[in-house]
Amino acid sequence: MTPYEKLKLTRQNGRPTGIAFINGVIDDRVELHGDRRFAEDAAIISGIGSLDGMPVTYIAIEKGVDLATRMKTNFGCPKPEGYRKALRLMKQAEKFRRPVVCFVDTSGAYPGAEAEERGQGEAIAENIIEMLGLKTPTISVVIGEGGSGGALALCSSDRVYMMENAVYSVISPEGCASILWKDASRAEDAAQCLRITADDMKNFGVAETIIPENYEDFAATCAIIKKNLKDDLTMLLQKDDDTLLADRYARFRKFGIYEENGETKGTVSYTC
Amino acid sequence: MIFDKWIAAFTHEKLTCSACKKEFSVKELRKSHYICPECAKYMRIGGRERINQVVDKKSFEEFATGLSSVDFLEFPGYADKLTKAIDATGEDDAVICGHATVGGYPCAIFVMDSRFMMASMGSVVGEKITRTFEYATEHNIPVIGFTASGGARMQEGIISLMQMAKCSAAVKKHSTEGNLYITVLTDPTTGGVTASFAMQGDIILAEPNALVGFAGRRVVEQTTKSQLPDNFQSAEFILEHGFADAIVPREELNDTLATILKLHGKEQAAV
Ligand SMILES: [Zn+2]
């Protein structure tokens, strides 16, 4: 599959959305709503539950499975209140040192006028910085589309997993093509240039783990996610707060490829 | 390109106001803080010019120099754009960092320069801003950041998105140690910069009429399918909606910054 075919696959009818992953991975679910500030946002489904007995906070972006649910969730584009709900639950998780698991699937944060009025930029900025300082382990799983800042707001974590066919990008290939060539229909070329696949993310160090997809047997796929989460969280829970935060800092500090006084720098080694 | 003209004008020590199209000498504009003497439009200011306006005379010492962008994705047109921006501005990339004093108070400062590829954020911008916060954390001094950006630099793919988190991590550390961070939102602050360190200041100031927003206006119009108010995504708009602390006219900025630094009185502990 080309990168663009993968992107199209993530948007295809019938592909499991956030809610399917929650149901498949998290037990003892209690859904929790609202940002306690302005509203409830159906684009983000969140709550508490367990992973084989380990209490966790779960947060998922939900794209919807049919027109009615997609209208309700704005096709998986969270509003500021959605990000603020997610942050509220993350801070709550921190209080109990309960790990946070995020399932990410969005073409981007909702770009409507009301989202701008209510500070979409501020909401994302706040999520990123607070996640980076959160004194409890965090793992994000990109299950479909990891769209730009709207995805990073739930991906500033200790570990990132990519589903085999998921993509993660700074800009939608359509948006990139229309800026670059004034032609959104060249999204396929843009997708190639941007390097958006799970393998690319692993190469860049943006993701640690690629989860194989088996949609004939979705339960088996969920079992793999569950095992990875349980193992990684068990290990992360053993770190004290200072170590956890220092390691998370180092995880993000390394990103960057540049030249300094003639010498190529950046610990991320990646060549095309 | 609008900016080529702008820069051509600059080298001839003359600038044209984008609003009223009148031409002024750089000398005259320096005196007016680059506020158009004819129509009062806030003209965009280059990074070094901005530093001259804001910091105490001769106090600025630049650090994190000699960093330049690499076209590691071999992205269409990127190498060319970089060369052009470097030639046009004489800068390595879109941000200048250093330490200085403002009203006698030491601080670290970064200034983004929209003349360089619309100050989009790639590895170099992210690295330099991160180093600014790390320097300030180490020396226990405030950071003043002038933001301007079209957003993340898509030519660096996902690595440009990661700069938002890298910078934010450094902001967080600086903040946790009890240090002050003031952002000054200048025209235009948008996209990934708005959605990260521009909005993470303890105190968020904005220049009058500066464009400040997350999504592009056209995208918002398409999504909302209605007319947006004239002041949509302006500094005044974000102040009205509670996302900036104050709008500060350019001629008062230096005094305001000095007062804020004074009120956080950490000067004894500094460099
Ligand atoms: Zn004018």
Side-chain angles (χ1 to χ4, degrees):
Chain A
M1 259 191 288
T2 66
Y4 191 62
E5 283 165 350
K6 289 190 177 190
L7 173 69
K8 288 210 297 205
L9 183 74
T10 68
R11 295 171 177 168
Q12 212 166 63
N13 264 334
R15 184 174 169 94
T17 58
I19 204 157
F21 282 86
I22 294 171
N23 291 340
V25 175
I26 312 287
D27 306 313
D28 307 319
R29 298 178 299 277
V30 180
E31 192 175 344
L32 305 172
H33 298 88
D35 69 347
R36 300 287 194 274
R37 294 288 180 270
F38 178 76
E40 156 69 1
D41 182 1
I44 290 189
I45 299 176
S46 54
I48 50 177
S50 74
L51 267 178
D52 272 338
M54 174 194 285
V56 295
T57 289
Y58 66 85
I59 297 165
I61 302 180
E62 171 58 29
K63 277 187 170 176
V65 294
D66 51 30
L67 191 61
T69 48
R70 281 177 195 146
M71 298 287 281
K72 218 175 127 204
T73 66
N74 276 306
F75 296 80
C77 297
K79 294 182 176 178
E81 49 270 28
Y83 290 114
R84 290 182 183 126
K85 169 169 77 167
L87 181 56
R88 177 175 80 83
L89 289 196
M90 287 193 255
K91 298 301 278 184
Q92 184 191 74
E94 179 181 53
K95 174 175 172 180
F96 303 106
R97 213 175 194 275
R98 183 166 60 216
V100 177
V101 177
C102 298
F103 298 98
V104 177
D105 187 13
T106 181
S107 60
Y110 184 67
E114 69 271 41
E116 291 290 317
E117 281 170 8
R118 295 199 287 276
Q120 187 67 281
E122 191 271 352
I124 295 170
E126 196 66 11
N127 272 34
I128 294 170
I129 196 168
E130 289 306 315
M131 274 193 95
L132 291 164
L134 205 71
K135 291 174 181 160
T136 194
T138 50
I139 297 181
S140 303
V141 189
V142 182
I143 57 171
E145 228 178 324
S148 189
L152 184 63
L154 295 177
C155 280
S156 304
S157 333
D158 295 314
R159 294 279 183 282
V160 171
Y161 302 169
M162 296 286 297
M163 296 306 293
E164 186 184 341
N165 294 316
V167 296
Y168 194 3
S169 180
V170 62
I171 183 171
S172 73
E174 289 85 358
C176 177
S178 61
I179 293 172
L180 210 57
W181 299 296
K182 313 272 173 252
D183 183 1
S185 69
R186 289 188 64 185
E188 185 147 17
D189 298 332
Q192 192 74 41
C193 297
L194 284 165
R195 307 273 158 174
I196 61 175
T197 67
D199 284 334
D200 292 324
M201 293 311 117
K202 187 131 193 230
N203 271 331
F204 282 126
V206 168
E208 281 79 6
T209 306
I210 298 176
I211 307 282
E213 292 184 12
N214 174 359
Y215 292 117
E216 316 280 275
D217 188 355
F218 186 60
T221 301
C222 288
I224 296 171
I225 299 174
K226 203 167 178 170
K227 178 163 188 340
N228 275 278
L229 287 172
K230 187 84 191 284
D231 290 353
D232 281 343
L233 289 174
T234 303
M235 186 270 295
L236 290 167
L237 275 169
Q238 284 163 4
K239 297 184 185 182
D240 60 43
D241 289 346
D242 288 349
T243 312
L244 186 70
L245 294 186
D247 290 353
R248 196 181 297 149
Y249 191 88
R251 185 182 187 278
F252 287 96
R253 184 66 184 86
K254 70 176 189 280
F255 293 121
I257 303 170
Y258 55 92
E259 236 175 58
E260 184 161 16
N261 300 315
E263 193 186 332
T264 302
K265 288 234 177 131
T267 52
V268 175
S269 59
Y270 189 88
T271 43
C272 296
Chain B
M1 278 296 287
I2 246 173
F3 279 113
D4 293 344
K5 275 187 216 153
W6 205 90
I7 272 96
F10 191 85
T11 46
H12 292 103
E13 298 282 310
K14 288 247 185 218
L15 283 178
T16 305
C17 170
S18 65
C20 71
K21 313 291 175 208
K22 288 238 159 58
E23 205 179 61
F24 304 95
S25 73
V26 165
K27 205 172 158 195
E28 196 177 355
L29 288 171
R30 274 190 187 144
K31 251 184 248 160
S32 73
H33 298 269
Y34 284 78
I35 301 167
C36 175
E38 182 72 21
C39 72
K41 158 101 183 161
Y42 272 53
M43 297 166 77
R44 288 177 184 173
I45 311 181
R48 293 192 192 272
E49 198 63 41
R50 173 72 79 176
I51 289 165
N52 284 337
Q53 282 189 21
V54 167
V55 307
D56 299 339
K57 251 201 175 111
K58 294 191 174 150
S59 73
F60 181 69
E61 271 186 62
E62 190 173 357
F63 55 59
T65 57
L67 275 70
S68 53
S69 295
V70 175
D71 180 18
F72 56 90
L73 294 182
E74 294 170 13
F75 203 93
Y78 187 30
D80 205 39
K81 281 202 177 83
L82 283 171
T83 310
K84 279 192 182 138
I86 291 165
D87 289 348
T89 59
E91 301 293 345
D92 296 331
D93 214 291
V95 67
I96 300 167
C97 314
H99 61 86
T101 61
V102 174
Y105 297 91
C107 60
I109 182 167
F110 70 84
V111 180
M112 302 181 80
D113 191 333
S114 60
R115 296 173 309 156
F116 196 107
M117 288 187 72
M118 213 17 119
S120 61
M121 175 162 60
S123 296
V124 170
V125 170
E127 179 66 24
K128 289 178 79 165
I129 288 173
T130 300
R131 287 192 196 178
T132 304
F133 281 94
E134 288 178 339
Y135 176 90
T137 306
E138 191 188 324
H139 292 87
N140 261 296
I141 55 174
V143 171
I144 298 174
F146 286 82
T147 61
S149 184
R153 190 174 290 176
M154 64 179 186
Q155 292 88 346
E156 294 189 19
I158 197 74
I159 295 298
S160 68
L161 188 73
M162 292 302 120
Q163 303 309 309
M164 291 165 63
K166 179 166 102 178
C167 294
S168 298
V171 175
K172 182 72 182 175
K173 224 177 200 180
H174 180 254
S175 177
T176 307
E177 304 277 319
N179 296 302
L180 171 70
Y181 171 32
I182 307 169
T183 54
V184 184
L185 312 176
T186 72
D187 189 57
T189 297
T190 62
V193 167
T194 300
S196 60
F197 55 83
M199 284 291 158
Q200 291 164 349
D202 297 297
I203 294 177
I204 300 178
L205 307 178
E207 284 209 318
N209 291 311
L211 168 69
V212 181
F214 175 63
R217 189 184 176 104
R218 203 171 307 160
V219 178
V220 177
E221 262 167 355
Q222 280 164 7
T223 308
T224 305
K225 294 184 184 71
S226 64
Q227 200 77 32
L228 301 170
D230 283 346
N231 76 343
F232 187 70
Q233 293 183 325
S234 65
E236 292 70 17
F237 175 90
I238 65 155
L239 182 82
E240 185 188 319
H241 287 95
F243 292 98
D245 287 294
I247 295 175
V248 182
R250 226 170 241 178
E251 60 270 29
E252 292 171 21
L253 192 55
N254 181 280
D255 282 349
T256 304
L257 290 171
T259 305
I260 296 171
L261 293 181
K262 183 175 101 179
L263 293 171
H264 289 80
K266 277 186 112 182
E267 74 273 27
Q268 285 90 352
V271 271

